[in-house]
Amino acid sequence: MSDDSPTLSSFATLFARPDAKGKLAVPERQLLQWTDGLLRAEVSGAQKSDFLNAIAEKFGAAGFADQLYREIFDLFIAHGVSAHSIAPANDDENRAFLLENAADLLTGLQKIVKDVIADAPRRLSPEAKKIAETLPKTRDLDAISAAIAAHDRFSRCRTFRFDGDQLVEAELGSAKKITSFYGFAGVRAIIADHLADFRQGLVNVPLLIYSLPGYGKTSMTISYALADSDDVLVLAGPEALADAWEKLYALVAARPDRRFILFFDDIEPQNVDWYNFRTHVGGAYTLAKHVLVILASNYEFPASILSRGRSVTFPVFDELRCTEMIEDFLRDFGLKRPPENLVALLGADYTEAFGQKKFTELSPRTLMRHLLVYTQSREKRRLLADLSEGEVITRPDPTLFYEFNIELMRTLYGDHYIERLREEKLRNLK
């Protein structure tokens, strides 16, 4: 095969782009790099067998075809062909241009694989031989366009991570049900209300979530974002707010047929270059209506960012919040009216466990970890029920919460923050 063969030419047309030196180069993604090597004329038959074996070992026969189709699907989107316009035959010039080249690539690749199998069957693994079966044998444009349209990654997965260049499918496991969060009713109501308005197309200003560590910002945001099956959740690091913002935003802005929630977690506002974000959110540009940004931080956001969104702050976790969470937990466990004594004993048992160094922080996170022990032990539940009927009932120590929270805030924000809190409290007393 010469370097100007239709298959290699179509592959280059679809994927090769000039690099900084003006030389055509294929993106540094393993699947594309190996496919490029397989198509090269200077690669010997034996080397082609090695490429196929490596592809089969890395991706599997079906996985290789699947990812190649996804790459082609993304090209259609990048060229302004909507997901709904890929399969139906129409007069769109971009669609016709891409489809012709995609058909040449896929059918030509199928023939190359078959030729390698015929020339050196003993050099190929059983899985490598299956690759030919996963690619189209005939140049049926309707069938090929339908196959490409069926490989919309957002139809197969709802959670992605942004790696600085592209969206990568992410396996988060099973998210908690939104009914499995306890306490902080006001915070949960604001998050639910904001997402409901976004889903109705009423608002998409950023949601800015702030609390001390361990309050459940991450898990709560993920659960509420995934509560509607039509939303796609994209997890991105703080660095994506700066240099990579435009690339990330372009990936989701190109898909108005989907709703995207971009979740930036563990933000340290003082370390973020906010220029690109401020420009695109509430600045010179308007954020697309199908995109919602959520920022979560253990630190307060600056005024220039707060003015661009809706903020929600978790109240400090103290003995009152602890009691509220325990009451909600017991209701969810089946007690419609949790006895006050039982709630107090659970709270006291939790603070006592903290005093015994069974965990290192007083937070909703460690409280839930502590309460789960009672769901798994009938003996502990029986003992606690018996104690709650006694004459002496211990209660969670408010001083313990106060001292822990003050020390935590001093560690995170410094002594000047504590002084500011004290001054605000004194002003409120006057």
Side-chain angles (χ1 to χ4, degrees):
M1 180 180 71
S2 64
D3 277 356
D4 59 353
S5 72
T7 307
L8 183 59
S9 177
S10 292
F11 178 81
T13 299
L14 292 172
F15 296 109
R17 298 293 181 269
D19 60 17
K21 297 180 180 179
K23 181 180 179 181
L24 282 177
V26 175
E28 293 185 1
R29 295 197 285 277
Q30 204 166 52
L31 177 129
L32 296 181
Q33 292 283 328
W34 288 0
T35 303
D36 182 54
L38 181 64
L39 298 178
R40 290 288 169 184
E42 65 269 19
V43 175
S44 67
Q47 288 175 310
K48 290 183 186 295
S49 297
D50 294 336
F51 268 114
L52 282 174
N53 285 334
I55 287 171
E57 182 179 354
K58 175 69 176 181
F59 304 103
F64 169 69
D66 187 58
Q67 292 201 41
L68 186 56
Y69 273 113
R70 291 190 200 185
E71 292 279 359
I72 295 171
F73 178 94
D74 290 345
L75 285 173
F76 276 81
I77 300 300
H79 281 74
V81 181
S82 72
H84 300 304
S85 301
I86 295 175
N90 56 64
D91 296 329
D92 186 287
E93 293 181 348
N94 283 332
R95 174 189 179 274
F97 162 74
L98 293 168
L99 184 57
E100 291 286 344
N101 282 280
D104 287 343
L105 169 62
L106 293 167
T107 54
L109 187 57
Q110 196 270 352
K111 184 179 184 303
I112 289 171
V113 175
K114 287 196 69 176
D115 289 344
V116 175
I117 294 173
D119 293 341
R122 294 184 179 180
R123 291 185 59 90
L124 289 175
S125 69
E127 187 67 18
K129 294 178 181 178
K130 295 178 183 177
I131 291 177
E133 302 170 11
T134 65
L135 299 168
K137 300 178 179 62
T138 60
R139 204 172 181 280
D140 184 337
L141 295 183
D142 289 339
I144 291 174
S145 65
I148 294 170
H151 282 77
D152 179 1
R153 67 185 66 201
F154 300 129
S155 295
R156 301 184 175 202
C157 183
R158 297 184 54 216
T159 54
F160 293 80
R161 294 189 185 278
F162 178 62
D163 67 358
D165 182 58
Q166 60 180 335
L167 300 180
V168 180
E169 292 184 11
E171 183 57 54
L172 300 182
S174 56
K176 289 173 61 175
K177 296 179 180 179
I178 59 175
T179 54
S180 296
F181 291 95
Y182 310 122
F184 302 107
V187 171
R188 289 187 283 128
I190 290 175
I191 294 175
D193 175 69
H194 198 73
L195 286 171
D197 285 346
F198 167 62
R199 287 159 181 157
Q200 295 174 40
L202 301 177
V203 68
N204 72 329
V205 297
L207 183 63
L208 313 173
I209 305 174
Y210 158 70
S211 81
L212 291 172
Y215 281 41
K217 298 183 294 296
T218 301
S219 59
M220 190 177 294
T221 300
I222 290 173
S223 292
Y224 275 84
L226 296 178
D228 190 304
S229 59
D230 290 333
D231 293 341
V232 176
L233 174 65
V234 178
L235 307 175
E239 64 282 355
L241 284 169
D243 296 338
W245 166 259
E246 291 187 9
K247 181 172 287 187
L248 169 59
Y249 180 67
L251 290 173
V252 296
R255 294 297 305 273
D257 55 309
R258 298 279 178 182
R259 286 197 306 263
F260 293 91
I261 298 173
L262 309 184
F263 180 34
F264 299 83
D265 199 9
D266 292 327
I267 300 295
E268 295 185 8
Q270 68 276 18
N271 296 327
V272 173
D273 179 357
W274 292 101
Y275 175 78
N276 282 327
F277 180 81
R278 292 199 310 267
T279 300
H280 286 83
V281 180
Y285 300 93
T286 301
L287 199 65
K289 290 185 177 181
H290 65 284
V291 180
L292 174 67
V293 175
I294 299 180
L295 307 178
S297 178
N298 296 331
Y299 302 86
E300 295 179 341
F301 291 96
S304 61
I305 301 304
L306 287 173
S307 64
R308 285 169 161 77
R310 180 182 185 181
S311 65
V312 55
T313 300
F314 280 74
V316 173
F317 183 65
D318 56 15
E319 76 281 4
L320 298 179
R321 307 297 172 192
C322 178
T323 298
E324 290 175 359
M325 287 190 68
I326 293 171
E327 289 175 343
D328 285 352
F329 169 80
L330 292 175
R331 290 190 190 97
D332 192 43
F333 198 64
L335 296 178
K336 293 183 178 179
R337 296 181 179 178
E340 183 180 343
N341 287 352
L342 180 59
V343 173
L345 280 172
L346 275 170
D349 187 57
Y350 167 64
T351 54
E352 182 180 345
F354 172 75
Q356 295 172 353
K357 310 296 184 183
K358 291 185 178 180
F359 35 84
T360 59
E361 64 181 20
L362 288 171
S363 69
R365 174 168 50 202
T366 57
L367 174 61
M368 289 311 306
R369 192 185 307 158
H370 182 75
L371 293 177
L372 286 176
V373 174
Y374 290 93
T375 67
Q376 300 164 357
S377 173
R378 181 175 298 178
E379 292 182 6
K380 284 184 176 291
R381 294 198 299 272
R382 185 183 297 114
L383 174 62
L384 204 65
D386 292 341
L387 290 174
S388 67
E389 295 177 357
E391 296 182 0
V392 179
I393 302 297
T394 55
R395 299 180 182 279
D397 182 4
T399 303
L400 198 63
F401 285 94
Y402 175 81
E403 292 177 347
F404 174 81
N405 287 325
I406 288 293
E407 188 57 36
L408 177 59
M409 286 186 281
R410 178 178 283 111
T411 300
L412 287 173
Y413 315 132
D415 290 331
H416 66 282
Y417 183 85
I418 306 301
E419 290 302 317
R420 193 185 82 187
L421 289 179
R422 288 172 178 166
E423 291 175 2
E424 290 177 355
K425 188 171 183 180
L426 288 173
R427 282 198 299 269
N428 292 334
L429 291 175
K430 292 179 180 180

